[in-house]
Amino acid sequence: MNKVRYCKNCFMPNTKPGLILDEEGICQACRHAEEKKSIDYNKRFEELKKLCNKYRSNNGSYDCIIAVSGGKDSHYQTYVMKELMGMNPLLVSVSDPFTHTKTGRHNFQNIADAFSCDIITLNQNPDLVRRMMKIAFEEFGSPTWAIDRAIYVFPIKMAIKLGIKLVVYGENVSYEYGGVLENKETYSAKDQINNDVAKKIDFDFWLNKGIRQEEINMLVYPTDKEIEKAELEPIYLGYFVKWDGYKNYQIAKKYGFRSLGNEWIREGFIEDYDQVDSYAYLVHPWLKYPKFGFGRATDVVGYWIRGGKITRKEGLELLKKHENSLVDTKALEDFLNFTGYTVKEFWNIADKFWNTDIFEKTDGLWYKKINNPWEEDYIINSIEEKAITNL
Ligand SMILES: [Zn+2]
C-alpha cells in the first residue's frame, strides 16, 4: 500500500496524476501560487498588448479565436480580449450532447450578447459521443474524453481553416493546479493537448474498438507541421493576467453571467458557478473520487485557499461537511439517460476504479480506510504546535 499524503496547504492528495508534494509537504499548485505573488502582472499585461498589436486586424476581420464554453472563465477571457485589448474575437465552442441547464443556456447566449461577439459551435455527433463515452468509461473511467478532446482540438482546427493565428485559452491547468506537464510557466499553449485532461489515446485503440477513422477525424490534433505552417500562436491568458476563478466569476457576473442558484443544488459541490452548463458532464469529475480519493470540493477548497478567499482551517471545515462519495443524482440520471446504462450497470463498471490504497469494500460498499484523512494531518500539526507552545 502506498501512503496517501495531502498537501499541507490545500489538502490535495498525491494521488492526483502528476501532483508532487515537496519535502515540506506542499504541492506545485501552492508553490506556484506563492511564485505568482512576485510576478509583475503589469509588465505581463503590457506583453499581452504587444502580442495583440502584432495580430490586430486592420480590415475588420476576426483577429483571434477564443476557446469558450460560456462559463465564468470564458466570460473573463472575452472581457480581457474584447473590452481591454480591443480585439475582434471569434468565439469557438464545443457543445456536449447532454441535457443543458437553464443557467447554462442563458450564459452561452449571454457571452455572445454581452460582448457582441459571433460564436461558432461544434455540436458533437451524439451517437459517436455515446459510443466513445461508453468505451472510455469502461476502459479508463474517463467518460467525457471525446468531449474534452474536442474542446482542445476544434479551436485549433478552426484557426487553421479560417487563417486566424492567435488562439486564446484560459489557464494552464498543469501550472495552476499541478499536473503531468512540466511546470515551468509559459505563455504558449502549444503543448496543451498533452496535459492530462484529454491526453492522447492511441487512435488505433479507437479503431480496434469499432470507431471508424472518418468518425474521429474531428478529434485528431493537427500536426506540428500544420500548426507551424499556419503560423498559429496558441496562448494561455492565465500567463498574462493573474488567474483566479473566483475573481473571474465576479467580473463575469457584471456582464450578466449567472450562477445556478436554486436551479440545481449539487451534491458534493461547495459553489454554484463552475461547470454549470450540463448535468451528465459532472459524472466525469465525480470519478476522481473513486480513482484518486478526492472530489470537486477538494479542488475548490484548494482554489480558494490559494486565492486567499478562505483559510486552511475554513477549508477543512468545508471538506468535512461536503467531501463525500455521493454522485449527484441529477448528473447520474442524465448520464444514464444518455448512455443507456442501468443504475446497476453503472455501479458495476465504476466498481473497478476504486483505489484500494484509499478505499476498502465492506458488504458491497466502499469506505475510506481513514475517515478524515486531512484531519489526521491537521491534528498532527496542532499537536506539534501545542508542544512548541508548552516548551
Ligand atoms: Zn497545495
Side-chain angles (χ1 to χ4, degrees):
M1 180 189 152
N2 296 312
K3 171 90 175 119
V4 179
R5 292 168 59 226
Y6 293 78
C7 172
K8 293 244 186 283
N9 186 47
C10 74
F11 301 103
M12 187 56 78
N14 61 351
T15 47
K16 178 173 172 164
L19 187 113
I20 298 164
L21 298 175
D22 63 18
E23 61 284 353
E24 289 173 62
I26 304 290
C27 76
Q28 303 107 305
C30 288
R31 289 296 179 211
H32 294 156
E34 273 171 46
E35 271 169 37
K36 278 165 72 174
K37 286 180 189 157
S38 56
I39 289 171
D40 182 350
Y41 279 102
N42 289 330
K43 201 174 137 210
R44 289 205 177 170
F45 195 73
E46 292 305 313
E47 285 173 39
L48 179 62
K49 273 189 198 161
K50 247 190 224 162
L51 195 69
C52 286
N53 287 339
K54 182 175 167 193
Y55 292 103
R56 193 181 303 282
S57 157
N58 298 318
N59 61 8
S61 62
Y62 301 121
D63 48 22
C64 62
I65 278 180
I66 310 179
V68 300
S69 66
K72 68 184 197 326
D73 294 337
S74 305
H75 276 71
Y76 179 70
Q77 282 162 253
T78 311
Y79 160 76
V80 171
M81 294 307 291
K82 178 107 194 220
E83 301 294 315
L84 302 185
M85 293 293 143
M87 299 293 276
N88 185 23
L90 171 66
L91 311 185
V92 172
S93 82
V94 173
S95 177
D96 69 48
F98 305 134
T99 307
H100 286 230
T101 62
K102 208 173 137 199
T103 308
R105 290 196 303 270
H106 161 83
N107 288 336
F108 190 74
Q109 178 83 19
N110 183 69
I111 192 170
D113 200 351
F115 300 106
S116 191
C117 286
D118 299 330
I119 306 190
I120 290 184
T121 305
L122 170 68
N123 285 295
Q124 277 187 297
N125 162 356
D127 168 57
L128 175 69
V129 172
R130 183 180 298 110
R131 281 183 282 134
M132 291 184 78
M133 179 168 284
K134 292 172 84 161
I135 296 166
F137 176 42
E138 289 164 24
E139 298 283 331
F140 313 110
S142 301
T144 60
W145 185 87
I147 299 166
D148 297 329
R149 181 87 188 172
I151 289 170
Y152 285 147
V153 174
F154 184 56
I156 295 288
K157 277 194 190 292
M158 289 310 291
I160 292 176
K161 276 208 170 22
L162 299 171
I164 302 170
K165 291 175 183 168
L166 184 60
V167 185
V168 182
Y169 288 94
E171 78 279 45
N172 176 350
V173 294
S174 286
Y175 181 80
E176 286 288 326
Y177 315 125
V180 293
L181 288 184
E182 186 21 50
N183 289 292
K184 201 166 157 37
E185 195 185 18
T186 159
Y187 73 84
S188 174
K190 272 185 184 153
D191 280 340
Q192 176 172 243
I193 193 68
N194 299 318
N195 75 18
D196 204 43
V197 179
K199 63 184 167 233
K200 194 168 184 305
I201 296 175
D202 198 344
F203 280 93
D204 284 342
F205 167 85
W206 294 111
L207 300 177
N208 289 333
K209 290 280 179 190
I211 306 293
R212 296 188 306 279
Q213 182 67 50
E214 69 267 26
E215 292 182 309
I216 47 171
N217 279 340
M218 194 44 114
L219 301 177
V220 177
Y221 199 70
T223 62
D224 289 349
K225 221 173 165 186
E226 287 172 292
I227 290 176
E228 219 169 279
K229 198 174 154 220
E231 296 173 44
L232 288 200
E233 177 90 278
I235 63 163
Y236 292 119
L237 197 60
Y239 174 90
F240 299 100
V241 291
K242 196 170 181 181
W243 197 262
D244 180 332
Y246 186 71
K247 282 187 190 139
N248 295 354
Y249 167 50
Q250 303 304 321
I251 289 170
K253 262 199 297 193
K254 284 188 193 153
Y255 284 86
F257 172 87
R258 284 187 203 152
S259 60
L260 280 171
N262 289 327
E263 186 188 353
W264 180 19
I265 314 284
R266 302 176 299 176
E267 188 59 56
F269 280 67
I270 59 175
E271 42 69 33
D272 64 352
Y273 55 78
D274 222 345
Q275 297 187 337
V276 298
D277 307 338
S278 62
Y279 293 102
Y281 188 88
L282 294 194
V283 170
H284 183 84
W286 171 78
L287 276 154
K288 288 194 293 196
Y289 193 82
K291 284 158 88 176
F292 311 122
F294 72 95
R296 186 67 193 159
T298 298
D299 279 324
V300 175
V301 159
Y303 305 155
W304 287 356
I305 291 176
R306 288 190 292 271
K309 181 172 146 50
I310 57 170
T311 63
R312 178 178 159 83
K313 206 172 168 196
E314 287 165 337
L316 179 67
E317 292 311 311
L318 285 169
L319 288 179
K320 277 158 67 179
K321 206 166 155 199
H322 298 282
E323 182 76 298
N324 61 46
S325 62
L326 299 177
V327 60
D328 181 86
T329 314
K330 273 192 176 169
L332 181 60
E333 241 174 48
D334 193 37
F335 186 85
L336 298 179
N337 194 25
F338 179 73
T339 55
Y341 289 124
T342 63
V343 178
K344 196 161 182 275
E345 283 167 339
F346 175 85
W347 288 112
N348 279 341
I349 297 163
D351 218 37
K352 66 178 178 188
F353 296 108
W354 290 81
N355 184 330
T356 51
D357 284 340
I358 305 168
F359 301 99
E360 57 194 353
K361 202 175 185 184
T362 312
D363 299 332
L365 292 174
W366 291 95
Y367 295 94
K368 262 194 173 163
K369 288 178 176 172
I370 301 171
N371 210 10
N372 273 323
W374 337 276
E375 182 141 58
E376 192 195 41
D377 254 353
Y378 190 75
I379 289 169
I380 291 167
N381 286 346
S382 313
I383 291 169
E384 278 167 6
E385 278 163 32
K386 227 180 184 173
I388 291 165
T389 331
N390 287 344
L391 275 177

